Amino acid sequence: DTAVSQTPKYLVTQMGNDKSIKCEQNLGHDTMYWYKQDSKKFLKIMFSYNNKELIINETVPNRFSPKSPDKAHLNLHINSLELGDSAVYFCASSGGDRDTEAFFGQGTRLTVV
Amino acid sequence: GQQVMQIPQYQHVQEGEDFTTYCNSSTTLSNIQWYKQRPGGHPVFLIQLVKSGEVKKQKRLTFQFGEAKKNSSLHITATQTTDVGTYFCADPTGGGADGLTFGKGTHLIIQP
């Protein structure tokens, strides 16, 4: 069983569209995250979500919104997609403490055309 | 926000040569994690260092945490083609959204 799974793996869409990426973890972790990896492979935290508490990186545009229907899921919604949103988005989870390792999903390669 | 600087950005080695990547922080780190990302893959946790001066080994990989807990290194002895990928250090406590603050990574390219 995949510990952290996200879908789709690839997403190609036009500018201005709204899209969602789904993430599920079966590790029983308390905290889930979304990271963005740009074309230079720089990884940057976007959100963390723990027990209904959402922490947002201040650099993330408000067109991005995470939604957690339950503890095992953290989906990412993106409105009015822009060319600069093209990147690989990784979902991750951890046990909750800052000191525990993070488990990453396979990534979603988003291409905005 | 807090940054973790990582060098070099790219490293080309011949198979069998050693490889080292370095991370530095301007502030004291409580701990540091290392991840490996294979081409086309996702980051995979390798190790966490917590104690000042700590040294940990995983087969051909040696991880060090500086005495001042401001720097860390990953050394691979006698690289193999399976070592290809990007190695990231990460600070678990400096994230703007309570997540990991990653270094920019070192891309290891191995020539057979």
Side-chain angles (χ1 to χ4, degrees):
Chain A
D1 278 346
T2 304
V4 181
S5 59
Q6 54 182 108
T7 55
K9 189 170 182 180
Y10 300 97
L11 182 55
V12 181
T13 188
Q14 291 185 328
M15 281 173 49
N17 284 351
D18 303 338
K19 289 293 179 185
S20 295
I21 306 172
K22 295 185 176 181
C23 179
E24 177 182 4
Q25 56 97 1
N26 63 7
L27 298 168
H29 285 163
D30 293 323
T31 308
M32 296 183 72
Y33 310 86
W34 279 102
Y35 288 85
K36 179 180 180 180
Q37 186 170 47
D38 64 20
S39 58
K40 295 183 178 180
K41 297 278 193 180
F42 300 157
L43 270 163
K44 196 167 185 181
I45 181 74
M46 298 177 70
F47 305 100
S48 68
Y49 192 85
N50 182 342
N51 195 27
K52 300 188 179 180
E53 180 189 7
L54 175 66
I55 304 176
I56 302 171
N57 187 316
E58 60 187 9
T59 65
V60 175
N62 58 15
R63 298 181 294 102
F64 290 77
S65 58
K67 288 185 171 52
S68 179
D70 55 58
K71 183 178 160 181
H73 296 82
L74 184 65
N75 304 324
L76 182 64
H77 298 269
I78 316 170
N79 295 325
S80 302
L81 279 155
E82 300 177 358
L83 293 176
D85 297 332
S86 296
V88 180
Y89 292 86
F90 286 101
C91 176
S93 73
S94 72
D97 292 340
R98 286 176 165 180
D99 293 358
T100 56
E101 67 183 274
F103 292 80
F104 284 79
Q106 300 295 317
T108 296
R109 181 173 293 278
L110 171 65
T111 304
V112 183
V113 297
Chain B
Q2 183 168 320
Q3 289 186 330
V4 178
M5 309 304 293
Q6 187 172 357
I7 58 169
Q9 188 173 355
Y10 294 91
Q11 184 72 61
H12 292 76
V13 300
Q14 295 283 339
E15 188 176 7
E17 292 181 339
D18 293 356
F19 159 78
T20 305
T21 173
Y22 302 89
C23 277
N24 290 285
S25 171
S26 58
T27 59
T28 301
L29 301 168
S30 59
N31 52 64
I32 193 162
Q33 296 179 0
W34 285 91
Y35 289 78
K36 176 184 178 181
Q37 183 177 18
R38 293 180 185 275
H42 58 282
V44 175
F45 175 82
L46 293 176
I47 208 160
Q48 176 166 271
L49 304 173
V50 178
K51 299 177 183 176
S52 169
E54 189 170 16
V55 178
K56 286 188 176 180
K57 292 191 176 185
Q58 291 178 351
K59 297 183 180 178
R60 294 178 295 102
L61 277 60
T62 302
F63 303 84
Q64 294 190 347
F65 203 10
E67 293 290 341
K69 299 182 73 173
K70 288 187 175 183
N71 59 76
S72 182
S73 65
L74 158 59
H75 179 83
I76 303 178
T77 304
T79 54
Q80 300 175 359
T81 54
T82 53
D83 296 326
V84 164
T86 304
Y87 293 84
F88 294 95
C89 60
D91 171 12
T93 59
D98 214 27
L100 295 164
T101 299
F102 283 90
K104 292 188 175 179
T106 296
H107 305 270
L108 173 59
I109 299 120
I110 298 177
Q111 294 151 345

